[in-house]
Amino acid sequence: MSTQASVLFDAPGPKAEARHRLYSVLVLVGLAGLLAFMLWRLWAENQFTEAKWEPLVTPRYVEALLLDGLLTTLQMAALSVLFAVVFGLVFGIGKLSDHGVVRWPCWAVVEFFRAVPVLLLMILIFFSYGIDRGASGAYWSVVFALTLYNGSVLAEVFRAGIQAVPRGQSEAAYAIGMRKSQVMMQILLPQAVKIMLPAIISQMVVALKDTSLGFAVAAPGLTQVGEAIYLQFGNQIPTVMVVAAFYIGANLVLTALATWVQKRFVGEKEPLAVSGVGNMAGGASA
Amino acid sequence: MSVVLDNLDLVLWAFAHTVALFLISGVLSLLLGTFLVALRVGPIPILRRAVSVYVTLIRNTPLLIIFIFFRFAGPKIGINFNFVDIVWGDLRMNNFFAAAIAALTIYTSTFVSEAIRSGINAVPLGQAEAARAVGLSFGGVMQQVVLPQAFRASVPPLASVQIALLKNTTVAGVFGVAEALFRVRGFTNNFPGERVGIFITFALFFVVLVEIVSFVANRFERRWGVAR
């Protein structure tokens, strides 16, 4: 075991190595004990009976989980991020406008939708638009709410990304006689997109997790399928485990994609961080 | 608007629940998150690995699923909070409330641990080397050089995490805690004609709360920030 240099402690010497081995064994025993205890609790409460797990391996329910659940969830997340990119592009560039008439409204819209809980937004959209439209009403309520929230976060990402392009680039573009819109479209945006790509993919993790909030408006997706299954079979624990595993799996794939894009297209620089109003991206951070 | 004004006491109690959820789970998540990060940067590799797996799993699970666990799944295996029942005025801290605190704390603490870890990573290696070179012990290096800088560097990301927590308290409304979102649903059911007014009022309440949190965070950052 080679410990890499850390700000917290020196690379251990032989004595410390031995001590760490002892600790490792103790921790391993402790963790194994904890795991065994949890499994025993689950077993003691009859969570491993066939009746509880059987629905989750029955083809009809697996199909419902995968198609009506995972696929719908992914669709909602993908659609809302797609719309959010457009929303973010418009308002992010709007925030950089030289004209106060454009800049201030854009700023207000972005700040408002970033500060308002997405669930509150979802409820409003659902009650004013979706409630008479059945499942598709709930579906689009989720998509629109996530679009507004993620769009305003992405607006900040776009603004930061455009400002991260070295100033000399736009100066040079102006010097060869380009107009303001040309500088934006041909010089700044193409370079900024590269910097922003990982942040956009990470935002998909947020959107994917937030689609589960559709539970509040009975929107289709993984949570609804999960709910239907556990209400029918009373197998809350196994269903929650499986549904959580679906989300975690999808998010890990997205995170890996973002990391790959970061390495491949952006280089080893830190991913673009957007400060301010809380945005807890998921995933294992680099 | 009149719905909100006529029922101002309900609105205020709703926000009392929201603020109580935020403050209690905010403090608990800071404590649990600090504990997690201590294990995570410590010298025992296997513990580091285990905590990092745990943090990754929780971070990638939607908060709603964690809520479902504590409300519907947990009670099946004896995880319940029926022993909690504190009533103060119209503020009811019952088992629903406690389950919400547990879910919010467990979810948020993983983000807290990431925020503090990024703060520790931001301390330049040379700082610790210099501290060792002038003869400080491990405890001295930590107390006098590394941790003060790490916590200061963590203020902005921690503020983001706490603001997200504030907004996430609304999920508790779906699971029976009478906080802001719960009240919005009640009002919009009873007074469908006024839903935009109701929404704007509650939304502005949240904007104000978020501004308060970021104002406090800015003051801390200005006082404690490390110039580099």
Short mmCIF file of all heavy atoms in Angstrom, two decimals, chain B residues 51-99:
data_model
loop_
_atom_site.label_atom_id
_atom_site.label_comp_id
_atom_site.label_asym_id
_atom_site.label_seq_id
_atom_site.Cartn_x
_atom_site.Cartn_y
_atom_site.Cartn_z
N VAL B 51 -16.24 4.66 3.54
CA VAL B 51 -17.01 5.90 3.65
C VAL B 51 -17.23 6.50 2.26
O VAL B 51 -18.30 7.04 1.98
CB VAL B 51 -16.29 6.90 4.58
CG1 VAL B 51 -16.99 8.24 4.56
CG2 VAL B 51 -16.27 6.37 5.99
N SER B 52 -16.24 6.38 1.40
CA SER B 52 -16.43 6.97 0.07
C SER B 52 -17.49 6.22 -0.73
O SER B 52 -18.27 6.84 -1.47
CB SER B 52 -15.08 7.06 -0.64
OG SER B 52 -15.05 6.28 -1.77
N VAL B 53 -17.58 4.90 -0.54
CA VAL B 53 -18.66 4.15 -1.19
C VAL B 53 -20.01 4.60 -0.65
O VAL B 53 -20.95 4.89 -1.40
CB VAL B 53 -18.49 2.62 -0.97
CG1 VAL B 53 -19.74 1.87 -1.37
CG2 VAL B 53 -17.30 2.12 -1.77
N TYR B 54 -20.09 4.72 0.68
CA TYR B 54 -21.33 5.17 1.32
C TYR B 54 -21.75 6.52 0.78
O TYR B 54 -22.91 6.73 0.39
CB TYR B 54 -21.13 5.20 2.84
CG TYR B 54 -22.22 5.93 3.59
CD1 TYR B 54 -23.41 5.30 3.91
CD2 TYR B 54 -22.04 7.26 3.98
CE1 TYR B 54 -24.40 5.97 4.60
CE2 TYR B 54 -23.02 7.94 4.67
CZ TYR B 54 -24.21 7.29 4.97
OH TYR B 54 -25.19 7.97 5.64
N VAL B 55 -20.81 7.47 0.75
CA VAL B 55 -21.13 8.84 0.31
C VAL B 55 -21.60 8.82 -1.15
O VAL B 55 -22.59 9.48 -1.49
CB VAL B 55 -19.91 9.76 0.50
CG1 VAL B 55 -20.11 11.08 -0.22
CG2 VAL B 55 -19.67 10.01 1.97
N THR B 56 -20.91 8.05 -2.00
CA THR B 56 -21.31 7.98 -3.40
C THR B 56 -22.73 7.43 -3.55
O THR B 56 -23.52 7.95 -4.33
CB THR B 56 -20.32 7.11 -4.19
OG1 THR B 56 -19.01 7.60 -3.94
CG2 THR B 56 -20.62 7.15 -5.66
N LEU B 57 -23.02 6.37 -2.79
CA LEU B 57 -24.35 5.77 -2.89
C LEU B 57 -25.44 6.77 -2.48
O LEU B 57 -26.42 6.97 -3.19
CB LEU B 57 -24.45 4.52 -2.02
CG LEU B 57 -23.65 3.30 -2.50
CD1 LEU B 57 -23.91 2.12 -1.57
CD2 LEU B 57 -24.04 2.93 -3.92
N ILE B 58 -25.25 7.41 -1.33
CA ILE B 58 -26.29 8.32 -0.83
C ILE B 58 -26.43 9.53 -1.75
O ILE B 58 -27.54 9.98 -2.05
CB ILE B 58 -25.97 8.78 0.60
CG1 ILE B 58 -25.88 7.60 1.53
CG2 ILE B 58 -27.02 9.77 1.09
CD1 ILE B 58 -27.19 6.97 1.89
N ARG B 59 -25.30 10.05 -2.23
CA ARG B 59 -25.37 11.24 -3.10
C ARG B 59 -26.13 10.97 -4.39
O ARG B 59 -26.72 11.87 -4.96
CB ARG B 59 -23.95 11.68 -3.47
CG ARG B 59 -23.35 12.64 -2.50
CD ARG B 59 -21.86 12.69 -2.69
NE ARG B 59 -21.49 13.17 -4.01
CZ ARG B 59 -21.28 14.44 -4.29
NH1 ARG B 59 -21.40 15.34 -3.37
NH2 ARG B 59 -20.92 14.81 -5.51
N ASN B 60 -26.08 9.73 -4.86
CA ASN B 60 -26.74 9.42 -6.12
C ASN B 60 -28.16 8.91 -5.96
O ASN B 60 -28.83 8.61 -6.93
CB ASN B 60 -25.90 8.41 -6.91
CG ASN B 60 -24.72 9.08 -7.56
OD1 ASN B 60 -24.88 9.99 -8.35
ND2 ASN B 60 -23.52 8.67 -7.20
N THR B 61 -28.59 8.79 -4.70
CA THR B 61 -29.98 8.39 -4.46
C THR B 61 -30.83 9.65 -4.34
O THR B 61 -30.44 10.57 -3.64
CB THR B 61 -30.07 7.59 -3.14
OG1 THR B 61 -29.10 6.56 -3.19
CG2 THR B 61 -31.43 6.99 -2.97
N PRO B 62 -31.96 9.71 -5.01
CA PRO B 62 -32.81 10.89 -4.86
C PRO B 62 -33.28 11.04 -3.41
O PRO B 62 -33.55 10.03 -2.74
CB PRO B 62 -34.01 10.61 -5.78
CG PRO B 62 -33.52 9.58 -6.74
CD PRO B 62 -32.51 8.77 -6.00
N LEU B 63 -33.35 12.29 -2.97
CA LEU B 63 -33.83 12.56 -1.61
C LEU B 63 -35.19 11.92 -1.37
O LEU B 63 -35.48 11.40 -0.29
CB LEU B 63 -33.90 14.08 -1.39
CG LEU B 63 -34.47 14.55 -0.07
CD1 LEU B 63 -33.61 14.08 1.08
CD2 LEU B 63 -34.58 16.06 -0.05
N LEU B 64 -36.03 11.95 -2.40
CA LEU B 64 -37.38 11.41 -2.25
C LEU B 64 -37.36 9.93 -1.88
O LEU B 64 -38.18 9.46 -1.09
CB LEU B 64 -38.17 11.60 -3.54
CG LEU B 64 -39.65 11.37 -3.34
CD1 LEU B 64 -40.38 12.67 -3.29
CD2 LEU B 64 -40.22 10.47 -4.40
N ILE B 65 -36.42 9.19 -2.47
CA ILE B 65 -36.32 7.76 -2.16
C ILE B 65 -35.92 7.58 -0.70
O ILE B 65 -36.42 6.67 -0.01
CB ILE B 65 -35.28 7.09 -3.08
CG1 ILE B 65 -35.68 7.26 -4.55
CG2 ILE B 65 -35.12 5.62 -2.75
CD1 ILE B 65 -36.88 6.48 -4.95
N ILE B 66 -35.03 8.45 -0.21
CA ILE B 66 -34.63 8.35 1.19
C ILE B 66 -35.82 8.66 2.10
O ILE B 66 -36.02 8.00 3.12
CB ILE B 66 -33.43 9.28 1.46
CG1 ILE B 66 -32.26 8.86 0.58
CG2 ILE B 66 -33.03 9.24 2.93
CD1 ILE B 66 -31.06 9.75 0.68
N PHE B 67 -36.61 9.64 1.68
CA PHE B 67 -37.84 9.92 2.43
C PHE B 67 -38.77 8.71 2.43
O PHE B 67 -39.33 8.34 3.47
CB PHE B 67 -38.59 11.11 1.81
CG PHE B 67 -38.32 12.41 2.51
CD1 PHE B 67 -37.33 13.26 2.05
CD2 PHE B 67 -39.05 12.78 3.61
CE1 PHE B 67 -37.08 14.46 2.69
CE2 PHE B 67 -38.80 13.99 4.25
CZ PHE B 67 -37.82 14.82 3.79
N ILE B 68 -38.96 8.10 1.27
CA ILE B 68 -39.83 6.91 1.20
C ILE B 68 -39.30 5.84 2.13
O ILE B 68 -40.06 5.17 2.83
CB ILE B 68 -39.92 6.38 -0.25
CG1 ILE B 68 -40.70 7.36 -1.11
CG2 ILE B 68 -40.58 5.01 -0.28
CD1 ILE B 68 -40.91 6.89 -2.53
N PHE B 69 -37.97 5.71 2.17
CA PHE B 69 -37.40 4.71 3.07
C PHE B 69 -37.81 4.97 4.50
O PHE B 69 -38.32 4.09 5.19
CB PHE B 69 -35.87 4.66 2.94
CG PHE B 69 -35.26 3.68 3.90
CD1 PHE B 69 -35.22 2.33 3.59
CD2 PHE B 69 -34.78 4.09 5.13
CE1 PHE B 69 -34.71 1.42 4.48
CE2 PHE B 69 -34.27 3.18 6.03
CZ PHE B 69 -34.23 1.84 5.71
N PHE B 70 -37.62 6.22 4.96
CA PHE B 70 -37.88 6.48 6.38
C PHE B 70 -39.37 6.51 6.70
O PHE B 70 -39.76 6.28 7.85
CB PHE B 70 -37.21 7.79 6.82
CG PHE B 70 -35.76 7.59 7.13
CD1 PHE B 70 -34.78 8.04 6.27
CD2 PHE B 70 -35.39 6.92 8.27
CE1 PHE B 70 -33.45 7.83 6.56
CE2 PHE B 70 -34.05 6.70 8.57
CZ PHE B 70 -33.08 7.16 7.70
N ARG B 71 -40.21 6.80 5.72
CA ARG B 71 -41.65 6.88 6.00
C ARG B 71 -42.36 5.56 5.83
O ARG B 71 -43.21 5.19 6.63
CB ARG B 71 -42.30 7.90 5.08
CG ARG B 71 -42.55 9.26 5.61
CD ARG B 71 -43.36 9.37 6.89
NE ARG B 71 -44.75 9.72 6.62
CZ ARG B 71 -45.75 8.90 6.72
NH1 ARG B 71 -45.54 7.66 7.08
NH2 ARG B 71 -46.96 9.30 6.48
N PHE B 72 -42.02 4.83 4.75
CA PHE B 72 -42.80 3.64 4.43
C PHE B 72 -42.02 2.33 4.60
O PHE B 72 -42.60 1.32 4.98
CB PHE B 72 -43.32 3.72 2.99
CG PHE B 72 -44.16 4.93 2.74
CD1 PHE B 72 -43.87 5.81 1.71
CD2 PHE B 72 -45.25 5.22 3.55
CE1 PHE B 72 -44.64 6.94 1.49
CE2 PHE B 72 -46.02 6.34 3.35
CZ PHE B 72 -45.72 7.20 2.31
N ALA B 73 -40.72 2.36 4.27
CA ALA B 73 -39.97 1.10 4.32
C ALA B 73 -39.40 0.86 5.71
O ALA B 73 -39.51 -0.24 6.25
CB ALA B 73 -38.86 1.12 3.27
N GLY B 74 -38.78 1.89 6.30
CA GLY B 74 -38.14 1.74 7.60
C GLY B 74 -39.05 1.13 8.66
O GLY B 74 -38.65 0.18 9.35
N PRO B 75 -40.27 1.64 8.82
CA PRO B 75 -41.16 1.09 9.85
C PRO B 75 -41.36 -0.42 9.72
O PRO B 75 -41.63 -1.09 10.72
CB PRO B 75 -42.47 1.84 9.61
CG PRO B 75 -42.04 3.14 9.03
CD PRO B 75 -40.86 2.82 8.17
N LYS B 76 -41.22 -0.98 8.52
CA LYS B 76 -41.40 -2.43 8.33
C LYS B 76 -40.33 -3.22 9.06
O LYS B 76 -40.53 -4.39 9.36
CB LYS B 76 -41.32 -2.78 6.84
CG LYS B 76 -42.41 -2.15 6.02
CD LYS B 76 -43.62 -3.04 5.99
CE LYS B 76 -44.78 -2.23 5.46
NZ LYS B 76 -46.04 -2.95 5.55
N ILE B 77 -39.15 -2.60 9.26
CA ILE B 77 -38.10 -3.33 9.99
C ILE B 77 -37.80 -2.63 11.32
O ILE B 77 -36.71 -2.71 11.85
CB ILE B 77 -36.82 -3.47 9.15
CG1 ILE B 77 -36.38 -2.11 8.59
CG2 ILE B 77 -36.99 -4.46 8.04
CD1 ILE B 77 -34.99 -2.12 8.03
N GLY B 78 -38.79 -1.94 11.84
CA GLY B 78 -38.65 -1.38 13.18
C GLY B 78 -37.91 -0.06 13.25
O GLY B 78 -37.59 0.39 14.34
N ILE B 79 -37.61 0.58 12.08
CA ILE B 79 -37.03 1.92 12.14
C ILE B 79 -38.17 2.91 12.14
O ILE B 79 -38.76 3.19 11.09
CB ILE B 79 -36.12 2.19 10.93
CG1 ILE B 79 -35.01 1.13 10.87
CG2 ILE B 79 -35.52 3.59 11.01
CD1 ILE B 79 -34.14 1.25 9.67
N ASN B 80 -38.55 3.39 13.31
CA ASN B 80 -39.60 4.40 13.34
C ASN B 80 -39.28 5.43 14.40
O ASN B 80 -38.34 5.28 15.18
CB ASN B 80 -40.97 3.77 13.58
CG ASN B 80 -41.04 3.10 14.91
OD1 ASN B 80 -40.67 3.68 15.93
ND2 ASN B 80 -41.50 1.85 14.92
N PHE B 81 -40.03 6.50 14.39
CA PHE B 81 -39.74 7.62 15.29
C PHE B 81 -40.95 7.92 16.15
O PHE B 81 -41.20 9.06 16.50
CB PHE B 81 -39.34 8.84 14.47
CG PHE B 81 -38.12 8.61 13.64
CD1 PHE B 81 -38.22 8.19 12.32
CD2 PHE B 81 -36.86 8.81 14.18
CE1 PHE B 81 -37.09 7.97 11.56
CE2 PHE B 81 -35.72 8.59 13.42
CZ PHE B 81 -35.84 8.16 12.12
N ASN B 82 -41.70 6.87 16.50
CA ASN B 82 -42.94 7.09 17.23
C ASN B 82 -42.72 7.69 18.61
O ASN B 82 -43.63 8.22 19.23
CB ASN B 82 -43.72 5.77 17.37
CG ASN B 82 -44.21 5.31 16.02
OD1 ASN B 82 -44.36 6.11 15.11
ND2 ASN B 82 -44.45 4.01 15.88
N PHE B 83 -41.47 7.57 19.10
CA PHE B 83 -41.19 8.10 20.44
C PHE B 83 -41.05 9.62 20.43
O PHE B 83 -41.04 10.24 21.47
CB PHE B 83 -39.91 7.46 20.98
CG PHE B 83 -38.74 7.59 20.03
CD1 PHE B 83 -37.91 8.70 20.10
CD2 PHE B 83 -38.48 6.61 19.08
CE1 PHE B 83 -36.86 8.82 19.23
CE2 PHE B 83 -37.43 6.73 18.20
CZ PHE B 83 -36.60 7.84 18.28
N VAL B 84 -40.95 10.21 19.22
CA VAL B 84 -40.80 11.66 19.16
C VAL B 84 -42.18 12.31 19.10
O VAL B 84 -42.98 11.99 18.22
CB VAL B 84 -40.00 12.08 17.91
CG1 VAL B 84 -39.76 13.58 17.92
CG2 VAL B 84 -38.69 11.33 17.84
N ASP B 85 -42.48 13.17 20.05
CA ASP B 85 -43.73 13.91 19.97
C ASP B 85 -43.61 15.18 20.80
O ASP B 85 -43.93 15.19 21.98
CB ASP B 85 -44.89 13.03 20.46
CG ASP B 85 -46.22 13.65 20.05
OD1 ASP B 85 -46.20 14.60 19.25
OD2 ASP B 85 -47.25 13.19 20.55
N ILE B 86 -43.09 16.22 20.16
CA ILE B 86 -42.93 17.49 20.85
C ILE B 86 -43.86 18.48 20.17
O ILE B 86 -43.81 18.64 18.95
CB ILE B 86 -41.48 18.00 20.74
CG1 ILE B 86 -40.51 16.94 21.27
CG2 ILE B 86 -41.32 19.31 21.50
CD1 ILE B 86 -39.08 17.18 20.87
N VAL B 87 -44.74 19.09 20.95
CA VAL B 87 -45.65 20.07 20.37
C VAL B 87 -45.37 21.41 21.04
O VAL B 87 -45.31 21.49 22.27
CB VAL B 87 -47.12 19.67 20.57
CG1 VAL B 87 -48.03 20.75 20.00
CG2 VAL B 87 -47.38 18.34 19.91
N TRP B 88 -45.17 22.40 20.23
CA TRP B 88 -44.90 23.73 20.76
C TRP B 88 -45.76 24.70 19.97
O TRP B 88 -45.46 24.95 18.81
CB TRP B 88 -43.41 24.05 20.63
CG TRP B 88 -43.03 25.34 21.24
CD1 TRP B 88 -42.92 25.61 22.56
CD2 TRP B 88 -42.72 26.55 20.55
NE1 TRP B 88 -42.56 26.92 22.73
CE2 TRP B 88 -42.43 27.51 21.54
CE3 TRP B 88 -42.66 26.91 19.20
CZ2 TRP B 88 -42.09 28.83 21.20
CZ3 TRP B 88 -42.33 28.21 18.87
CH2 TRP B 88 -42.05 29.16 19.88
N GLY B 89 -46.82 25.18 20.58
CA GLY B 89 -47.78 25.98 19.83
C GLY B 89 -48.37 25.10 18.74
O GLY B 89 -48.83 23.99 19.03
N ASP B 90 -48.32 25.59 17.50
CA ASP B 90 -48.78 24.75 16.40
C ASP B 90 -47.64 24.03 15.70
O ASP B 90 -47.81 23.49 14.61
CB ASP B 90 -49.55 25.61 15.38
CG ASP B 90 -51.00 25.77 15.80
OD1 ASP B 90 -51.43 25.00 16.67
OD2 ASP B 90 -51.68 26.65 15.26
N LEU B 91 -46.48 24.08 16.31
CA LEU B 91 -45.33 23.40 15.72
C LEU B 91 -45.31 21.97 16.24
O LEU B 91 -45.06 21.73 17.42
CB LEU B 91 -44.05 24.14 16.14
CG LEU B 91 -42.73 23.68 15.55
CD1 LEU B 91 -42.69 23.94 14.06
CD2 LEU B 91 -41.57 24.39 16.22
N ARG B 92 -45.61 21.03 15.33
CA ARG B 92 -45.70 19.64 15.76
C ARG B 92 -44.48 18.86 15.31
O ARG B 92 -44.33 18.57 14.13
CB ARG B 92 -46.95 19.00 15.17
CG ARG B 92 -48.22 19.51 15.78
CD ARG B 92 -49.43 18.98 15.07
NE ARG B 92 -50.49 19.98 15.08
CZ ARG B 92 -51.17 20.30 16.17
NH1 ARG B 92 -50.92 19.69 17.31
NH2 ARG B 92 -52.09 21.24 16.11
N MET B 93 -43.64 18.51 16.27
CA MET B 93 -42.48 17.70 15.92
C MET B 93 -42.81 16.26 16.28
O MET B 93 -42.43 15.76 17.33
CB MET B 93 -41.26 18.20 16.68
CG MET B 93 -41.00 19.67 16.40
SD MET B 93 -39.31 20.10 16.75
CE MET B 93 -39.52 21.57 17.70
N ASN B 94 -43.53 15.60 15.38
CA ASN B 94 -43.97 14.23 15.64
C ASN B 94 -43.10 13.25 14.89
O ASN B 94 -41.99 13.58 14.45
CB ASN B 94 -45.44 14.09 15.25
CG ASN B 94 -45.67 14.60 13.84
OD1 ASN B 94 -44.71 14.82 13.11
ND2 ASN B 94 -46.92 14.77 13.46
N ASN B 95 -43.59 12.04 14.71
CA ASN B 95 -42.74 11.04 14.05
C ASN B 95 -42.52 11.37 12.57
O ASN B 95 -41.46 11.08 12.02
CB ASN B 95 -43.34 9.64 14.21
CG ASN B 95 -44.77 9.58 13.74
OD1 ASN B 95 -45.44 10.60 13.65
ND2 ASN B 95 -45.24 8.38 13.42
N PHE B 96 -43.50 12.02 11.90
CA PHE B 96 -43.28 12.43 10.51
C PHE B 96 -42.14 13.43 10.45
O PHE B 96 -41.26 13.35 9.59
CB PHE B 96 -44.53 13.12 9.93
CG PHE B 96 -45.70 12.21 9.75
CD1 PHE B 96 -46.89 12.70 9.25
CD2 PHE B 96 -45.62 10.87 10.06
CE1 PHE B 96 -47.99 11.87 9.08
CE2 PHE B 96 -46.70 10.03 9.90
CZ PHE B 96 -47.89 10.54 9.41
N PHE B 97 -42.18 14.39 11.38
CA PHE B 97 -41.17 15.42 11.44
C PHE B 97 -39.79 14.79 11.65
O PHE B 97 -38.82 15.13 10.96
CB PHE B 97 -41.51 16.39 12.57
CG PHE B 97 -40.64 17.59 12.66
CD1 PHE B 97 -40.94 18.74 11.95
CD2 PHE B 97 -39.50 17.59 13.46
CE1 PHE B 97 -40.14 19.85 12.02
CE2 PHE B 97 -38.70 18.71 13.54
CZ PHE B 97 -39.02 19.84 12.81
N ALA B 98 -39.72 13.85 12.59
CA ALA B 98 -38.44 13.23 12.90
C ALA B 98 -37.93 12.41 11.72
O ALA B 98 -36.72 12.42 11.42
CB ALA B 98 -38.57 12.35 14.13
N ALA B 99 -38.84 11.73 11.01
CA ALA B 99 -38.42 10.97 9.83
C ALA B 99 -37.86 11.93 8.78
O ALA B 99 -36.86 11.62 8.11
CB ALA B 99 -39.59 10.18 9.25
#
